Amino acid sequence: MEKDKRKFLTSSNIHINELYTPENLADFDYARDLGYPGKYPFTRGVQKDMYRGRLWTMRQYAGFGTAKETNKRFKYLLEHGQTGLSIAFDLPTQIGYDSDHPLSSGEVGKTGVDIDTLKDMEILFNGIPLDKVSTSMTINATASILLAMYVALARKQNIPLNLLCGTIQNDILKEYIARGTYIFPPRPSMKLTTDIFKYAKENLPKFNPISVSGYHIREAGATAVQEIAFTLANGITYVQESINSGIDVNDFGKRVSFFLNSHSNFLEEIAKFRAARRLWAKIMKERFGASEDSSKFRFHTQTAGCTLTAQQAENNIIRVTLQALSSVLGGTQSLHTNSMDEALSLPSEKAAEIALRTQQIIAYESGVADTVDPLAGAYFIESLTNSLENGAKKYIDYIEQNGGALWAVESGYYQKEIQRSAYEYQKMVESEEKIIVGVNRFETEAETKKRKKIFKVSKKGTLEQIKRLKEVKEKRDKAKVKKSLDELRNKIETNENLMYPVIQCVEAYASIGEICQVLKDSWGEYEQKVII
């Protein structure tokens, strides 16, 4: 029989042995490398009893069209067992353009809900009391404005700010390297980010002021090792910036959360989550002197959008199930499962329901949540956890030696590394060294000819959104709007915390475009360098 000459590698090019034995863990020490759940270095989880005490939050990412349409989807998901809201905003909202701006044409409500003014936020949460839900907002360049709207809405609902619970992504660094919805240059953008940190410390004790995102880094083509390394390197910068702004590491550390991808290599992903948790604990304790509680790596997971295929879309249900299962076995605190039709369009209600049911079946039928870290001690899992941690640490050390995350962004180092990995992966797919079922193997002719019914955002909603914006601008107190925008402009020059004047602007019903224009006038706009 011919010897198998195939290479067995993980996504991070970690060689996989044929067999793993205790010899692969010769230097393994239980107390040092594992410990107990809820105890440093948290390899086995950040809670003592993990899901026996409380299941992960089932937080389905949703948003499309107008605020009214998205409000209906929110209520639908809550009625079907979702335990937290996660808002997707459209592209104009993410990059600071009003829906009536020429550059917004064709994009209003397409990739998420369109928010122009506080009026839209009022409609978005109509009938949903903010003290009864945990809300996650995936927003970065305009994060201060959307958080200001959320705060203003809570005030209108007479809800004390200390009861607001949720997370705002507010991770601007990864926008320059993986996602692209930046507006301002990196350094003034970091000022907005740290202003949110300070505002949250003073006013929002239950709200996480940042979710450091590795998800988009992975979606852009990074390996599992790069996802850990670049995410934690960015996290180091945010912690240091918060300390520089006068926030105690133990105040800030408790409110830092992370957002990771759950990709297709099942066992590597489980090990990745465990490695990230252990490495972050070491960084916080050894570098920043943080307490154990402030060293916990708390993270949200989303299944990998880039693995979804337009071909044989029903196969995506299986992909998502395996990815969701790996994130649960890896100890996630909250989870979004993608819908099977997302490679084609925004998810339909039926597809969104199946995605939510996937989580519920794992939670209530599979038994994997009945004990803490059930794969701990497995020779391969522990060996792979060690390899991933060591690989990520090498990257982090190199980044820190050269000036940190801001250097890695401005020099293009991050971008080059991700582009290289994405290129190598695509070559493997095209050469069929990497098999994608239904794409480069096991295709069916009937599938390519079948016309798919997809969910579409109506053009009528765009017209309604523009009409509502016009009405708000006509009815609001124009003198109050001007005064608030002038006040914001003056505060930029004095380097004060901009959250407070931004809140005044949104309460006067200034639009997101108007507020961003004031900031652009002072800081300019960032132009991405072409990385070769």
Side-chain angles (χ1 to χ4, degrees):
M1 185 176 180
E2 186 179 348
K3 186 177 179 181
D4 193 337
K5 296 181 180 179
R6 289 180 297 161
K7 294 179 181 178
F8 290 87
L9 302 169
T10 72
S11 77
S12 301
N13 290 320
I14 297 170
H15 177 72
I16 302 175
N17 297 338
E18 182 177 354
L19 181 69
Y20 285 79
T21 70
E23 293 180 3
N24 297 103
L25 298 173
D27 298 326
F28 187 77
D29 180 87
Y30 184 89
R32 181 194 67 205
D33 299 319
L34 277 185
Y36 288 94
K39 295 291 184 181
Y40 183 88
F42 307 108
T43 314
R44 305 201 64 186
V46 294
Q47 283 106 19
K48 181 181 178 180
D49 56 356
M50 286 301 290
Y51 306 133
R52 287 168 66 106
R54 177 187 174 187
L55 289 173
W56 62 92
T57 301
M58 298 178 193
R59 191 188 300 278
Q60 292 298 105
Y61 187 49
F64 62 90
T66 65
K68 185 177 180 180
E69 291 173 295
T70 300
N71 175 264
K72 287 177 62 178
R73 179 63 64 90
F74 281 172
K75 289 177 177 176
Y76 175 86
L77 290 168
L78 290 169
E79 288 166 1
H80 283 73
Q82 180 170 300
T83 53
L85 297 176
S86 181
I87 308 174
F89 297 98
D90 72 353
L91 190 57
T93 303
Q94 292 181 48
I95 58 177
Y97 289 116
D98 291 337
S99 55
D100 60 357
H101 192 283
L103 290 179
S104 298
S105 179
E107 293 292 340
V108 176
K110 286 293 178 69
T111 60
V113 60
D114 186 86
I115 301 292
D116 287 319
T117 69
L118 178 58
K119 181 65 177 177
D120 295 318
M121 193 67 89
E122 292 166 4
I123 296 169
L124 182 64
F125 284 95
N126 181 43
I128 303 174
L130 301 191
D131 58 341
K132 303 299 182 185
V133 296
S134 169
T135 302
S136 171
M137 292 185 274
T138 303
I139 197 72
N140 298 282
T142 55
S144 58
I145 303 171
L146 272 299
L147 180 59
M149 289 183 182
Y150 198 74
V151 167
L153 180 60
R155 288 175 173 173
K156 288 180 74 71
Q157 290 187 359
N158 294 317
I159 294 171
L161 299 187
N162 62 4
L163 296 182
L164 296 183
C165 183
T167 302
I168 192 156
Q169 191 162 96
N170 194 29
D171 174 8
I172 196 62
L173 290 175
K174 64 94 176 50
E175 295 298 323
Y176 302 104
I177 64 177
R179 195 160 177 265
T181 61
Y182 47 76
I183 302 173
F184 319 109
R187 294 183 189 274
S189 292
M190 284 294 290
K191 189 246 185 312
L192 283 177
T193 297
T194 54
D195 280 353
I196 290 176
F197 296 165
K198 288 184 281 188
Y199 180 83
K201 179 182 180 295
E202 295 165 3
N203 300 278
L204 304 171
K206 292 185 178 181
F207 213 90
N208 298 324
I210 191 167
S211 174
V212 189
S213 177
Y215 182 85
H216 306 98
I217 291 170
R218 192 65 180 278
E219 289 288 288
T223 66
V225 162
Q226 289 171 336
E227 181 186 355
I228 298 172
F230 299 166
T231 305
L232 299 196
N234 289 350
I236 288 169
T237 296
Y238 290 126
V239 173
Q240 189 61 61
E241 288 291 322
S242 72
I243 293 171
N244 293 346
S245 69
I247 303 174
D248 186 274
V249 66
N250 289 317
D251 287 333
F252 183 70
K254 294 173 186 177
R255 299 260 54 97
V256 176
S257 65
F258 291 83
F259 175 24
L260 295 181
N261 199 304
S262 190
H263 220 268
S264 290
N265 191 314
F266 184 70
L267 295 175
E268 182 182 39
E269 292 302 291
I270 296 169
K272 179 191 77 178
F273 298 128
R274 300 171 84 250
R277 190 160 48 235
R278 184 165 68 201
L279 184 53
W280 182 249
K282 291 177 181 177
I283 289 168
M284 288 295 282
K285 185 175 182 179
E286 295 171 9
R287 173 166 177 161
F288 296 108
S291 67
E292 277 201 16
D293 197 35
S294 298
S295 302
K296 292 179 179 179
F297 183 88
R298 297 170 299 112
F299 68 102
H300 169 73
T301 312
Q302 181 172 337
T303 56
C306 63
T307 66
L308 301 178
T309 64
Q311 303 93 324
Q312 301 178 20
E314 292 82 0
N315 294 346
N316 293 329
I317 298 175
I318 293 92
R319 292 186 179 99
V320 168
T321 301
L322 288 170
Q323 292 164 6
L325 183 58
S326 69
S327 67
V328 170
L329 290 171
T332 192
Q333 275 63 67
S334 67
L335 176 62
H336 165 89
T337 36
N338 290 331
S339 300
M340 64 177 177
D341 51 5
E342 286 188 55
L344 300 165
S345 68
L346 291 169
S348 63
E349 277 194 357
K350 184 63 178 176
E353 182 181 341
I354 292 171
L356 179 58
R357 294 289 181 253
T358 299
Q359 293 200 49
Q360 292 166 336
I361 290 169
I362 291 172
Y364 296 105
E365 296 185 27
S366 72
V368 297
D370 293 348
T371 190
V372 180
D373 194 22
L375 297 186
Y379 304 134
F380 180 49
I381 288 293
E382 298 302 351
S383 178
L384 195 50
T385 300
N386 292 342
S387 295
L388 288 162
E389 180 183 354
N390 291 336
K393 189 176 184 304
K394 287 179 182 177
Y395 263 120
I396 292 170
D397 288 345
Y398 180 80
I399 291 166
E400 289 298 294
Q401 288 164 9
N402 283 279
L406 277 170
W407 164 82
V409 168
E410 294 173 338
S411 69
Y413 174 74
Y414 278 149
Q415 296 92 317
K416 287 180 182 178
E417 288 296 296
I418 294 170
Q419 288 167 7
R420 178 178 55 79
S421 297
Y423 177 63
E424 292 300 322
Y425 178 84
Q426 188 59 33
K427 284 200 301 183
M428 291 173 66
V429 172
E430 292 181 6
S431 67
E432 295 190 23
E433 186 178 347
K434 174 72 177 175
I435 303 302
I436 308 296
V437 175
V439 175
N440 61 2
R441 188 76 65 86
F442 313 114
E443 306 100 314
T444 58
E445 188 176 349
E447 175 69 20
T448 61
K449 291 181 178 179
K450 188 166 62 175
R451 189 171 183 177
K452 298 176 177 65
K453 184 179 179 181
I454 62 174
F455 177 77
K456 292 184 179 180
V457 175
S458 69
K459 293 181 181 179
K460 181 182 176 182
T462 299
L463 297 175
E464 289 176 357
Q465 183 67 23
I466 293 172
K467 180 182 177 182
R468 178 162 54 250
L469 175 60
K470 183 179 178 182
E471 290 173 350
V472 169
K473 287 184 175 180
E474 287 175 350
K475 293 179 181 179
R476 67 190 181 178
D477 185 332
K478 293 178 178 59
K480 189 175 180 181
V481 173
K482 183 180 184 304
K483 182 180 178 182
S484 67
L485 292 172
D486 287 343
E487 181 71 10
L488 173 60
R489 187 175 289 105
N490 293 335
K491 294 294 184 182
I492 295 172
E493 301 304 322
T494 61
N495 202 37
E496 296 183 40
N497 190 327
L498 297 181
M499 273 301 299
Y500 294 96
V502 168
I503 291 171
Q504 289 180 342
C505 290
V506 301
E507 288 182 329
Y509 290 87
S511 71
I512 196 169
E514 291 168 331
I515 297 169
C516 282
Q517 189 58 56
V518 171
L519 299 173
K520 288 177 187 177
D521 291 343
S522 294
W523 294 335
E525 295 183 68
Y526 181 69
E527 293 184 8
Q528 182 72 275
K529 297 177 183 177
V530 177
I531 306 299
I532 300 175

